[in-house]
Amino acid sequence: DTAVSQTPKYLVTQMGNDKSIKCEQNLGHDTMYWYKQDSKKFLKIMFSYNNKELIINETVPNRFSPKSPDKAHLNLHINSLELGDSAVYFCASSQSRGGYGYTFGSGTRLTVV
Amino acid sequence: KQEVTQIPAALSVPEGENLVLNCSFTDSAIYNLQWFRQDPGKGLTSLLLIQSSQREQTSGRLNASLDKSSGRSTLYIAASQPGDSATYLCAVNPPGNQFYFGTGTSLTVIP
């Protein structure tokens, strides 16, 4: 029943490892996003896909690579993890680029040690 | 570049009080503005979305206003309840782009 689901909910890993976070939405939305929320609770866009096409790619290290196999899925792969990557990563989706029906997942708390 | 500021950063009120949360943004060329609620350890829940052509939106005890020309929005919560305790985030949506989020107001309603 979950509208936007992310896995895993928690991820603890060592520096230098590669990890992936998966996101799926069952709302039929066209647009999906990845946001990063830092320790100060500031939420910032990382990527946005519309119908599997990348439309927003903010200044994010190229160690972060999103992949959208279909419009219901947007996964985030992170190479060579660094301490500064520790944050909560939120996936979201909306009906269109205009933000209608904006729905967030519950977040993935990534801790790099 | 759009910057979104929320004041106050934290607010504590006794149950039953009416309260106002403030949001300001630097670029008035927005498509819409949305207020979200975030509970600890949870994702964000959309509360109200105001189109750039609208002045306000209401949902239950919540009323959000928008003054695009002055770059301001307010979220009014009537008769606050302990269950309203959460962080409230304001986000603006430039045309065809993603949301820019404010840093949030952490609200505590004391029983």
Side-chain angles (χ1 to χ4, degrees):
Chain A
D1 288 330
T2 305
V4 180
S5 59
Q6 297 177 228
T7 55
K9 189 172 177 63
Y10 299 97
L11 184 54
V12 181
T13 188
Q14 289 186 323
M15 283 176 56
N17 284 349
D18 303 339
K19 290 293 178 185
S20 292
I21 307 172
K22 295 185 177 182
C23 179
E24 175 182 5
Q25 54 96 2
N26 62 5
L27 299 166
H29 287 170
D30 290 331
T31 308
M32 295 186 72
Y33 313 81
W34 276 110
Y35 282 85
K36 178 181 180 180
Q37 188 171 44
D38 61 25
S39 57
K40 296 182 180 179
K41 305 296 184 186
F42 185 62
L43 203 63
K44 188 173 180 183
I45 186 75
M46 298 176 69
F47 301 102
S48 175
Y49 270 74
N50 182 263
N51 272 322
K52 300 195 301 176
E53 180 186 348
L54 179 65
I55 56 172
I56 293 170
N57 183 357
E58 289 293 297
T59 305
V60 176
N62 57 16
R63 297 181 294 103
F64 290 79
S65 54
K67 280 191 170 52
S68 182
D70 54 61
K71 76 171 192 176
H73 295 85
L74 180 61
N75 304 322
L76 183 65
H77 188 75
I78 315 170
N79 289 326
S80 303
L81 278 155
E82 300 177 357
L83 293 176
D85 297 332
S86 296
V88 181
Y89 292 85
F90 286 99
C91 177
S93 71
S94 67
Q95 291 174 4
S96 65
R97 298 188 194 187
Y100 292 98
Y102 221 95
T103 306
F104 277 81
S106 56
T108 295
R109 182 173 293 277
L110 171 65
T111 303
V112 182
V113 298
Chain B
K1 183 183 175 182
Q2 182 73 265
E3 290 185 9
V4 183
T5 305
Q6 291 186 245
I7 295 172
L11 182 62
S12 185
V13 300
E15 182 177 1
E17 268 203 9
N18 303 325
L19 58 102
V20 176
L21 307 180
N22 297 294
C23 172
S24 61
F25 46 95
T26 54
D27 189 344
S28 62
I30 65 170
Y31 188 58
N32 56 50
L33 180 147
Q34 196 156 175
W35 282 92
F36 292 86
R37 167 186 173 140
Q38 184 175 26
D39 292 283
K42 300 284 180 66
L44 282 71
T45 301
S46 176
L47 298 173
L48 290 164
L49 183 149
I50 311 177
Q51 296 296 337
S52 62
S53 58
Q54 297 176 321
R55 299 285 293 184
E56 65 179 324
Q57 280 285 344
T58 299
S59 176
R61 294 182 294 107
L62 305 179
N63 176 277
S65 69
L66 174 65
D67 184 343
K68 203 174 71 156
S69 60
S70 67
R72 292 181 183 176
S73 175
T74 61
L75 179 66
Y76 174 83
I77 302 176
S80 58
Q81 303 171 358
D84 294 331
S85 298
T87 296
Y88 290 81
L89 292 155
C90 164
V92 298
N93 182 210
N97 262 314
Q98 81 288 357
F99 280 100
Y100 287 93
F101 281 83
T103 48
T105 294
S106 177
L107 173 66
T108 302
V109 180
I110 304 165

